[in-house]
């Protein structure tokens, strides 16, 4: 498998789908977008950006809710050789001010509902944004702004794609910040193609008859593959949702648009299974589900399959590798594991001495594959630590069994050493979540009166459920080695998370230090 030296991913997708011009590519809350309309509007967006003075390889902030204008914006940028910087829609003005300054974005593509927070951010930073193009404006626009549809109507579609190289910077994604400040992760045009060829086609086996729906938003690496790269590569249809992926919002799309493939995360699956409004099996059309973001507890996957007869294909990916590189497969799911390496990727588990660890031992996860990012922008120290030759250090710890299946053991900075032995927070959390009253759990290390590290669990109970601290401790002690059960346990109403749903254990550790 190889790519030509000159390659533009947007043109690649458009060429694949010119025989499907009248087929529906996207369905959002306002209507549909055919493949022909997607190409026309994206090429007009490319011309509109050039008309504002944005030049090849310059960055454009993409701060937009998931609607039909999102893929138009992303692909239009790629077509013009401009670099979209797709950012989280749930951040603060200070976050956006940092990202504008850090990326030096020359323009911004923004949803009308998010324009006030972006304007606030622009007033706080030192970098000046030259132009704004606003999707679905909700009021009067500032002087340097124009409405999305108006901007596209003023120009003719850009005639030809910019002659980009496959290894040219194509787009940025910011890391989710589960361990601190976000990092600008620079990906190429080719990286999108590689994830489709190595994971989207052989593992998911999508076809043009599939309807895909991703709870993970498109600014997230996982969501970008789910809702753009993979379905558009095969001519499938995608359902987009601007609102938060609550169980009720998700159920409405399941029953109205009948997606055949759903992409979620463990927190979402747990919340849906706990909902009294969970649709019946015959009310949906799901043939397969995917989970990523955090390891999926086997108990959740088994309950979901029992209700829908539908497998959840759990896998692990990262912003740095763009999508999933270890995964279970349809028909080959081992619940509680993340599966086996995706063909085309090499995976190693290394000990503290940098050497591979034997099966059964916890090691740091390293990946080598063609979809790895180029670097973190303007951060040589972090780039060198993460991108080591051809290998990418993930920051996760895993074990591998004798059959080659990998099991998550926590983040490198979350692992605990209790009585001199590594304890995986995830293992304790997954055990707690098997209790019928527990909705979510997060585990960190806490020093006892003697200064020794023991496990502490923060537990969210299901609505209307009741359980005692002693009951849950005994529940874990019966199922795990005695040193692993949580010596401390606290009931909380919610857990701190990133906007992409990852539990921020470092915030729980900070809270303990301040207590």
């Amino acid at each position: 498998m190889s790519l030509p030296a000159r390659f533009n991913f947007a043109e690649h997708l458009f060429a694949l789908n010119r025989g499907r011009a009248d087929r529906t590519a996207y369905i959002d809350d306002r209507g549909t977008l055919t493949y022909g309309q997607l190409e026309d509007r994206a090429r007009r967006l490319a011309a509109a950006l050039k008309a504002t003075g944005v030049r090849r390889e310059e960055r454009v902030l993409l701060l937009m809710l998931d609607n039909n204008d999102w893929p138009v914006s992303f692909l239009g940028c790629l077509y013009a050789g401009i670099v979209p910087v797709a950012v989280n829609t749930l951040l603060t003005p200070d976050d956006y001010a940092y990202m504008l300054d850090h990326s030096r974005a020359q323009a911004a593509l923004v949803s009308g509902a998010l324009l006030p927070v972006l304007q606030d951010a622009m007033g706080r930073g030192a970098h000046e944004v030259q132009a704004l193009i606003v999707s679905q404006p909700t009021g009067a626009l500032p002087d340097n702004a124009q409405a999305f549809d108006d901007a596209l109507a003023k120009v003719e579609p850009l005639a030809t794609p910019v002659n980009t190289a496959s290894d040219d910077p194509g787009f940025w994604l910011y890391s989710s910040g589960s361990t601190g400040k976000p990092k600008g992760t620079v990906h190429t045009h080719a990286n999108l193609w590689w994830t489709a060829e190595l994971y989207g086609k052989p593992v998911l086996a999508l076809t043009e008859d599939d309807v895909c729906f991703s709870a993970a938003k498109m600014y997230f690496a996982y969501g970008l593959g789910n809702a753009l790269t993979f379905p558009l590569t095969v001519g499938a249809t995608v359902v987009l949702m601007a609102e938060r992926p609550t169980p009720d919002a998700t159920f409405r799309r399941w029953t109205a648009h009948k997606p055949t493939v759903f992409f979620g995360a463990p927190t979402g699956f747990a919340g849906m299974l706990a909902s009294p409004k969970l649709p019946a099996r015959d009310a949906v059309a799901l043939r397969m589900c995917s989970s990523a973001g955090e390891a999926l507890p086997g108990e959740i996957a088994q309950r979901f399959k029992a209700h829908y007869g539908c497998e959840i294909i759990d896998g692990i990916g990262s912003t740095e590798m763009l999508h999933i590189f270890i995964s279970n497969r349809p028909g080959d799911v081992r619940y509680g594991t993340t599966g086996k390496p995706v063909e085309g990727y090499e995976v190693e588990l290394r000990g503290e001495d940098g050497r591979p660890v034997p099966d059964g031992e916890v090691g740091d996860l390293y990946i080598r594959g063609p979809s790895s990012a180029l670097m973190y922008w303007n951060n040589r120290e972090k780039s060198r630590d993460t991108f080591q030759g051809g290998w990418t250090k993930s920051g996760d710890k895993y074990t591998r069994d004798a059959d080659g299946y990998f099991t998550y053991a926590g983040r490198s900075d979350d692992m605990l050493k209790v009585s001199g032995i590594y304890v995986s927070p995830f293992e304790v959390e997954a055990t707690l979540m098997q209790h019928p009253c527990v909705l979510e759990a997060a585990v960190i290390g806490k020093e006892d009166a003697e200064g020794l590290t023991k496990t502490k669990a923060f537990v969210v109970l299901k609505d209307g459920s009741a359980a005692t601290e002693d009951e849950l401790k005994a529940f874990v002690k019966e199922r795990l080695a005695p040193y692993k059960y949580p010596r401390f346990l606290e009931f909380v109403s919610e857990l701190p998370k990133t906007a992409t749903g990852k539990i921020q254990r470092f915030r729980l550790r900070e809270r303990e230090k301040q207590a």
Side-chain angles (χ1 to χ4, degrees), residues 178-179 293-295 316-321 325-326 338 348-350 362-367 392-399 407-415 502 505:
S178 59
T179 57
E294 287 193 300
I316 181 175
S318 68
T319 304
E320 292 76 12
M321 294 302 297
F325 48 80
I326 300 176
T338 311
E348 283 189 1
L349 300 182
R350 301 177 186 174
V362 173
D364 292 305
L365 179 65
Y366 286 76
I367 315 99
T392 299
K393 181 181 179 181
S394 77
D396 297 290
K397 286 187 180 287
Y398 263 82
T399 61
T407 299
Y408 183 64
R411 289 286 299 175
S412 297
D413 51 0
D414 290 332
M415 287 293 289
K502 294 182 182 179
R505 294 176 185 83

Side-chain angles (χ1 to χ4, degrees), residues 192-248:
L192 293 159
W193 185 85
W194 281 114
T195 60
E197 295 300 313
L198 296 179
Y199 183 79
K201 288 181 179 180
V203 177
L204 297 178
L206 300 179
T207 73
E208 67 177 10
D209 294 324
D210 276 311
V211 178
C212 299
F213 174 37
S214 177
K217 303 300 185 180
M218 285 195 285
Y219 61 74
F220 186 27
Y222 178 49
L224 179 62
N226 305 339
L228 190 147
T229 312
F230 302 157
L232 297 194
T233 296
V234 299
T237 297
V238 182
V239 175
L240 295 178
M241 178 171 67
E243 64 184 301
R244 288 179 57 248
T246 62
D248 286 355

Side-chain angles (χ1 to χ4, degrees), residues 333-414:
V333 176
R334 185 169 294 189
Y335 292 120
T337 80
T338 311
K340 296 180 178 180
V342 172
E343 187 173 351
Y345 293 92
E346 296 178 66
V347 174
E348 283 189 1
L349 300 182
R350 301 177 186 174
E352 293 179 1
D353 59 1
R355 297 179 180 178
V357 300
D359 287 350
E361 288 193 15
V362 173
D364 292 305
L365 179 65
Y366 286 76
I367 315 99
R368 180 159 62 186
S371 63
S372 176
L374 292 173
M375 61 178 154
Y376 297 130
W377 183 261
N378 197 22
N379 196 332
R380 178 175 288 192
E381 179 181 358
K382 289 290 187 182
S383 293
R384 284 179 168 175
D385 182 57
T386 298
F387 306 107
Q388 302 180 9
W391 293 90
T392 299
K393 181 181 179 181
S394 77
D396 297 290
K397 286 187 180 287
Y398 263 82
T399 61
R400 182 186 59 221
D401 66 21
D403 296 326
Y405 290 87
F406 285 73
T407 299
Y408 183 64
R411 289 286 299 175
S412 297
D413 51 0
D414 290 332

